[in-house]
Amino acid sequence: MTMHTIGVVGAGTMGNGIAQVFAQAGFNVIMADIGQQALDRGLASISNSLSRLVKKGQFNDNEAVATLSRIRGSTLLAELADCQLVVEAATENAEIKEKIFRELAAVVRPDCILASNTSSISLTTIAAWVPQPERVIGMHFMNPVPVMQLVEIIRALQTSDDTHTAIHALSLQLGKTPVTVKDGPGFVSNRVLMPMINEAAFVLYENLASAEDIDTVMKLGMNHPIGPLQLADLIGLDTCLAIMDILYREFRDSKYRACPLLVQLVAAGQLGRKSGKGFYHY
């Protein structure tokens, strides 16, 4: 399949980043969200990101303008009808994702590939929501999308070889490094990452060290570019908690029990960078 128009559902941090990398690679992009304000914020974020690339000398002004011109917003999923690929990047909530996929299946062509940027929800379950489940696959981009190299490709039980081949090649076309994994709770990235973040939260909860010192140990002692608590704030503590809850539910293993401090911070609305406060103040 020749791809020229890509749909992205969700204009938040991940959605607008995904839209940007497709547009940078020369694709026309329709970024959909439920409200115009969310779209405006997403487009503004892309514009700011491109401006930073220009300042760093990675882009020139003409390239930035051309990239932005290839992205348009819409509040209607029906406008994605002619896309060859739609990437869902909505909030990490199975009920919301199911609604989106069922609505998408009703408007896109039968051969349109439906990808999800989910970080933990089963792709096999997602594929079962739509006709032609063989066209469903996971494209798990990392945050920030324009910077991070990895695309974790997750094959549902139903995913066809043709779908996988197309998405693997497309990831390379975006300048990313694709790694294919089987469908399982948390896949590889969050199966390993989230328990580490959760354990760092337990260390803080038990007053063994400050947030700054915990992160310093991991940065200087383990050569991590960013500490686990700083990373949690960047990801969003609500997202971290949602993934831990999925791991706990799917594996039925107490080692995936979310730290009480993480639960409390989310209950207080202290979600990290996006709310101005999490493990750190911003």
Side-chain angles (χ1 to χ4, degrees), residues 199-211:
E199 196 62 28
F202 266 114
V203 171
L204 180 63
Y205 181 61
E206 295 166 9
N207 292 316
L208 296 182
S210 68

Side-chain angles (χ1 to χ4, degrees), residues 60-141:
N60 62 44
D61 288 328
N62 290 338
E63 289 171 327
V65 170
T67 296
L68 200 56
S69 72
R70 287 191 284 268
I71 305 170
R72 69 178 179 90
S74 175
T75 57
L76 301 172
L77 288 184
E79 293 200 15
L80 307 182
D82 294 326
C83 292
Q84 293 79 48
L85 164 69
V86 178
V87 182
E88 171 272 318
T91 186
E92 196 69 358
N93 179 293
E95 291 182 2
I96 292 173
K97 290 186 186 295
E98 180 175 2
K99 183 175 184 293
I100 289 169
F101 271 87
R102 291 190 184 280
E103 289 183 10
L104 282 173
V107 299
V108 300
R109 303 181 324 196
D111 61 346
C112 174
I113 295 176
L114 298 176
S116 177
N117 184 58
T118 180
S119 53
S120 59
I121 296 171
S122 166
L123 268 299
T124 298
T125 297
I126 292 173
W129 294 335
V130 304
Q132 298 87 36
E134 65 276 4
R135 60 181 166 158
V136 173
I137 195 165
M139 285 188 83
H140 183 205
F141 292 85

Side-chain angles (χ1 to χ4, degrees), residues 133-194:
E134 65 276 4
R135 60 181 166 158
V136 173
I137 195 165
M139 285 188 83
H140 183 205
F141 292 85
M142 305 295 129
N143 184 26
V145 181
V147 175
M148 300 296 282
Q149 277 293 112
L150 178 68
V151 175
E152 191 177 29
I153 298 176
I154 304 100
R155 292 192 66 152
L157 186 66
Q158 306 94 317
T159 303
S160 69
D161 289 341
D162 285 347
T163 297
H164 173 259
T165 298
I167 294 304
H168 190 276
L170 181 63
S171 299
L172 292 173
Q173 193 175 345
L174 296 177
K176 302 297 186 183
T177 301
V179 174
T180 300
V181 304
K182 294 180 180 179
D183 188 24
F187 318 128
V188 170
S189 57
N190 284 317
R191 173 82 178 270
V192 175
L193 174 64
M194 287 301 157

